[in-house]
Amino acid sequence: MTQNPQYYQLPDDEYEVIQKIKGETEKYNVDNISRTNAYLQYYLKTPEMTWAFLASMVSRNGGYNMCDLEGEWFPKMIDPAIRKRLFLTFERANWLIFRDAYSQLLLYNYSTKKNTPMFHLLKFLDVSSFMEKEWQRFWETRDKKRLMIALIVNEQNVIHKPVILHHVFKKRVFNTWLFSFEDFFHFSTVLFPTCDGELYGASVNGFKSVNKRIDLGKRLASILFDQRKYPLFLEFALRTEHTASRHDYEKFFPNYKRRDTPYLRCTYPIISHHYHEQGDWYKERKFQHKWLEKEIKHRHPTHLTKWYLQKQKQLHALVSLKDIFTTS
């Protein structure tokens, strides 16, 4: 990363804050489990930061998707090289979002401790000028929903160029046959479980579109913070240790038999990431004001328990058919 020429002209206390934030962010940006837990712990201490709870629950799904790749079923359908690429895609996107967003959350904490906004320091943490404006707005208005949506908009733009448009991921992941079946494989469906064995959530068709991913994020937020359902999701998060195996929520199903996806830390190594300076997306991409609209529409049911169980049956039937044809 190229240091900002003004970096060393900062007052000592501000320079120290930046170094502490970078160190703490790096400490928790190790794997999907550490990120998921860090988001949740932050939310529990700072409940006005609703995005942190959304991030934790979406991050759980990222972990489930990773572990599915090495579970009982997907290895029978997807070649090892493709599974590895998919894992690295999930991991890279998770890592980039956490690096960007968690540092913002920590800077907000320092601002509240000092009782003065310190968002001018975001540029030294590689955060977009868009978020500097939005944090300042939040400080003045305390509009939690606007800030949550702004963070959704930011995170999807943060990963768009280095992940979605990256030439390797684009060619070897997003333009493959697998992603034309993304709905079938439910990679693009985010599920929020309850301890009663129910699943709620939403999906996106056209994952490569930043507009559609932002819309998905807003729809997910509306489900997660629904007045009746929110306590159920929070109960699940507090009661259920995140292992990244779908066993975490399938164990609450009636007639649950056995775990068929592994635990993340028994399956994947820690990945060392390198940050490549990518510029400020807000200055490089045309901003669409509709991204910040608060109103959303659910075009499909959000109660997905039956859908999920049906998808699992279809997947298992497909794998069984493949086994029949390959052995006959």
Side-chain angles (χ1 to χ4, degrees), residues 120-131:
H120 62 287
L121 297 180
L122 286 171
K123 64 175 78 67
F124 299 103
L125 295 164
D126 305 312
V127 176
S128 70
S129 52
F130 166 71
M131 284 313 304

Side-chain angles (χ1 to χ4, degrees), residues 2 66 178 190 214 229 317 325:
T2 306
M66 290 175 183
L178 186 65
V190 177
I214 289 169
K229 301 186 190 85
F325 284 115

Side-chain angles (χ1 to χ4, degrees), residues 144-156:
K144 293 191 299 183
K145 189 168 185 181
R146 164 91 181 205
L147 181 66
M148 179 180 67
I149 291 172
L151 284 161
I152 290 170
V153 169
N154 181 66
E155 70 176 81
Q156 293 308 328

Side-chain angles (χ1 to χ4, degrees), residues 222-279:
S222 77
I223 298 167
L224 189 64
F225 294 106
D226 176 86
Q227 211 168 6
R228 293 162 300 172
K229 301 186 190 85
Y230 165 77
L232 302 174
F233 300 138
L234 184 61
E235 179 195 21
F236 175 86
L238 294 174
R239 277 184 55 186
T240 312
E241 179 187 358
H242 177 55
T243 70
S245 168
R246 287 193 187 269
H247 169 74
D248 292 352
Y249 61 71
E250 288 181 341
K251 66 185 178 183
F252 293 109
F253 289 171
N255 308 316
Y256 176 64
K257 293 178 182 176
R258 62 182 176 83
R259 177 171 63 89
D260 59 11
T261 54
Y263 300 127
L264 185 130
R265 286 182 171 166
C266 299
T267 308
Y268 292 112
I270 300 298
I271 303 298
S272 295
H273 295 269
H274 300 283
Y275 182 73
H276 306 292
E277 191 173 1
Q278 59 197 50

Side-chain angles (χ1 to χ4, degrees), residues 125-297:
L125 295 164
D126 305 312
V127 176
S128 70
S129 52
F130 166 71
M131 284 313 304
E132 185 175 340
K133 290 196 309 182
E134 290 297 325
W135 278 107
Q136 193 62 46
R137 178 192 284 265
F138 172 75
W139 190 264
E140 294 162 7
T141 66
R142 298 291 152 170
D143 186 342
K144 293 191 299 183
K145 189 168 185 181
R146 164 91 181 205
L147 181 66
M148 179 180 67
I149 291 172
L151 284 161
I152 290 170
V153 169
N154 181 66
E155 70 176 81
Q156 293 308 328
N157 277 286
V158 161
I159 65 167
H160 197 65
K161 182 178 174 183
V163 177
I164 310 299
L165 298 182
H166 189 279
H167 64 281
V168 174
F169 293 129
K170 191 175 180 180
K171 180 181 177 182
R172 298 188 175 182
V173 176
F174 299 113
N175 287 348
T176 62
W177 67 270
L178 186 65
F179 256 78
S180 62
F181 285 96
E182 60 186 331
D183 180 54
F184 185 84
F185 287 106
H186 55 70
F187 286 138
S188 299
T189 301
V190 177
L191 299 170
F192 298 147
T194 74
C195 296
D196 300 321
E198 299 297 332
L199 299 175
Y200 297 85
S203 60
V204 59
N205 289 317
F207 186 80
K208 290 181 279 186
S209 162
V210 68
N211 292 346
K212 291 185 177 181
R213 294 197 311 275
I214 289 169
D215 178 66
L216 173 64
K218 292 194 286 187
R219 285 185 285 126
L220 290 169
S222 77
I223 298 167
L224 189 64
F225 294 106
D226 176 86
Q227 211 168 6
R228 293 162 300 172
K229 301 186 190 85
Y230 165 77
L232 302 174
F233 300 138
L234 184 61
E235 179 195 21
F236 175 86
L238 294 174
R239 277 184 55 186
T240 312
E241 179 187 358
H242 177 55
T243 70
S245 168
R246 287 193 187 269
H247 169 74
D248 292 352
Y249 61 71
E250 288 181 341
K251 66 185 178 183
F252 293 109
F253 289 171
N255 308 316
Y256 176 64
K257 293 178 182 176
R258 62 182 176 83
R259 177 171 63 89
D260 59 11
T261 54
Y263 300 127
L264 185 130
R265 286 182 171 166
C266 299
T267 308
Y268 292 112
I270 300 298
I271 303 298
S272 295
H273 295 269
H274 300 283
Y275 182 73
H276 306 292
E277 191 173 1
Q278 59 197 50
D280 183 344
W281 68 261
Y282 188 57
K283 294 176 180 176
E284 295 175 358
R285 193 169 303 132
K286 186 177 179 183
F287 186 83
Q288 298 187 36
H289 290 282
K290 69 176 182 179
W291 289 343
L292 289 170
E293 290 174 2
K294 293 181 179 179
E295 296 303 314
I296 58 99
K297 290 180 182 176

